[in-house]
Amino acid sequence: MRTVYVNGEYIAEDQAKVSIFDRGFLMGDGIYEVTSVLDGKLIDFEGHAIRLQRSMSELDMQSPIEMDDLLEVHRELVRLNGVDEGMIYLQITRGAPDDRDFVYPDPETTKPTIVLFTQNKPGLADSPMSKTGMKVISIADQRWARRDIKTVQLLYPSMAKMAAKAAGKDDAWMVEDGAVTEGSSNNAYIVKGNTIITRHLGNEILHGITRAAVLRFAREAQMNVEERSFTIEEAQKADEAFITSASTFVMPVVEIDDAPIGAGTPGPVVARLREIYLEEMRKAAI
Ligand code: PMP
């Protein structure tokens, strides 16, 4: 049984409670972060904490916790649950007023709800999929227009993953106005020669914390980085393709809509990027 954190308390998961009037539950009025744990340490905590603050500020949400204290909560949960490899899920909602109403409640009387729990995933870094690669389908991007805010409104990404599953594939890349935005829960990339291509930042995609680190490492390794849109057709003709996210790190994509990418097996550029990412992030973990 896990120990979880709810509004200042560490309690057993089966004792944890949130009100039925919570706006996260009723309205999807909440944001989240997922931070990976390797060797019992947090990967890129600062990046996630900064994006969390930005998500709250874009939604006029008050922070229920100081960032230093948030780091301690993450560490305490890792310790209490003995996590060596896995993730910490954090969610903050606008809290639970005493009735349902579209209008935001007064932050003086309704405090945000904060919940954190751990997910133990032994073998996260040594995942079999990093050797075989994943197969993706394309699907229309039907999410709302503020995808740069990491909200808990994950119904469309769930539908996209179900469509991939129904097709016997691993994930979906979403397409808007003819261009790939991102994966259902990750950023999408293609590789051509020594160049890494990934969509530019904007409101259309989540500003991945892993994305920022991987692009930095790619530039340091003398690779070219182009931040621009690309189509499914261009991706299918690329040498390699991959995704990034906090929980998958760098993961090769070997097929898009039934077309093999390159040789149809994970390529050397993606393998190298994954290796550099894991090595550097383990060094910097806290
Ligand atoms: N895009 C979307 C839509 C996501 O859900 C995620 C993962 N939460 C990402 C990109 C990757 O972001 P990060 O590297 O910060 O996990």
Side-chain angles (χ1 to χ4, degrees):
M1 172 125 44
R2 276 176 288 196
T3 300
V4 304
Y5 178 90
V6 182
N7 295 329
E9 281 187 292
Y10 295 94
I11 48 177
E13 62 182 11
D14 63 353
Q15 301 299 309
K17 288 191 182 67
V18 174
S19 163
I20 64 156
F21 295 116
D22 195 276
R23 287 181 60 94
F25 176 62
L26 292 179
M27 309 223 162
D29 188 359
I31 53 161
Y32 75 108
E33 282 295 330
V34 177
T35 304
S36 275
V37 177
L38 291 178
D39 316 318
K41 290 184 182 169
L42 303 168
I43 302 296
D44 216 338
F45 175 81
E46 195 187 356
H48 291 283
I50 290 170
R51 185 172 63 190
L52 177 74
Q53 287 173 302
R54 179 179 181 276
S55 292
M56 288 190 286
S57 113
E58 290 297 305
L59 296 174
D60 292 325
M61 219 183 259
Q62 314 276 323
S63 177
I65 190 163
E66 296 294 326
M67 291 305 124
D68 290 351
D69 296 334
L70 193 64
L71 173 59
E72 286 318 309
V73 174
H74 276 72
R75 285 180 161 159
E76 184 63 2
L77 281 181
V78 167
R79 194 185 67 78
L80 289 170
N81 294 289
V83 183
D84 181 51
E85 278 193 33
M87 286 101 78
I88 301 176
Y89 178 85
L90 151 73
Q91 177 167 330
I92 297 174
T93 75
R94 205 180 302 277
D98 49 19
D99 199 2
R100 179 177 183 271
D101 188 353
F102 281 82
V103 173
Y104 293 175
D106 181 349
E108 285 305 313
T109 50
T110 300
K111 297 295 169 201
T113 301
I114 175 168
V115 169
L116 285 92
F117 56 82
T118 54
Q119 295 182 292
N120 223 337
K121 303 268 180 198
L124 188 68
D126 200 24
S127 115
M129 201 172 255
S130 66
K131 279 124 202 155
T132 57
M134 51 195 281
K135 298 177 177 178
V136 304
I137 59 165
S138 64
I139 191 169
D141 196 335
Q142 295 180 348
R143 297 173 299 165
W144 79 326
R146 287 303 307 275
R147 303 159 194 157
D148 57 310
I149 310 173
K150 196 165 169 64
T151 78
V152 296
Q153 302 175 105
L154 297 177
L155 184 52
Y156 191 70
S158 290
M159 290 167 71
K161 287 214 197 268
M162 291 310 290
K165 198 175 170 198
K169 309 297 179 188
D170 304 303
D171 200 8
W173 279 14
M174 295 182 282
V175 176
E176 185 170 62
D177 298 331
V180 174
T181 51
E182 58 189 331
S184 63
S185 60
N186 44 70
N187 290 113
Y189 307 72
I190 57 175
V191 181
K192 279 182 172 177
N194 193 35
T195 302
I196 314 286
I197 301 156
T198 193
R199 191 180 176 105
H200 51 280
L201 296 179
N203 292 352
E204 302 77 25
I205 64 168
L206 187 74
H207 302 189
I209 301 307
T210 319
R211 177 189 185 279
V214 166
L215 293 188
R216 189 173 78 240
F217 297 141
R219 288 184 174 112
E220 284 170 11
Q222 312 303 324
M223 296 175 195
N224 303 315
V225 174
E226 282 180 22
E227 296 181 65
R228 63 162 173 87
S229 297
F230 60 88
T231 63
I232 290 291
E233 292 68 36
E234 185 178 6
Q236 287 171 325
K237 290 190 204 115
D239 298 326
E240 299 181 40
F242 64 103
I243 59 154
T244 66
S245 75
S247 54
T248 62
F249 314 118
V250 176
M251 196 63 78
V253 169
V254 294
E255 183 193 290
I256 305 174
D257 285 343
D258 292 321
I261 309 306
T265 51
V269 173
V270 178
R272 178 93 189 98
L273 278 175
R274 182 179 173 91
E275 190 182 300
I276 298 173
Y277 178 81
L278 284 171
E279 190 183 316
E280 292 299 321
M281 297 317 273
R282 276 185 201 277
K283 266 194 247 168
I286 58 170

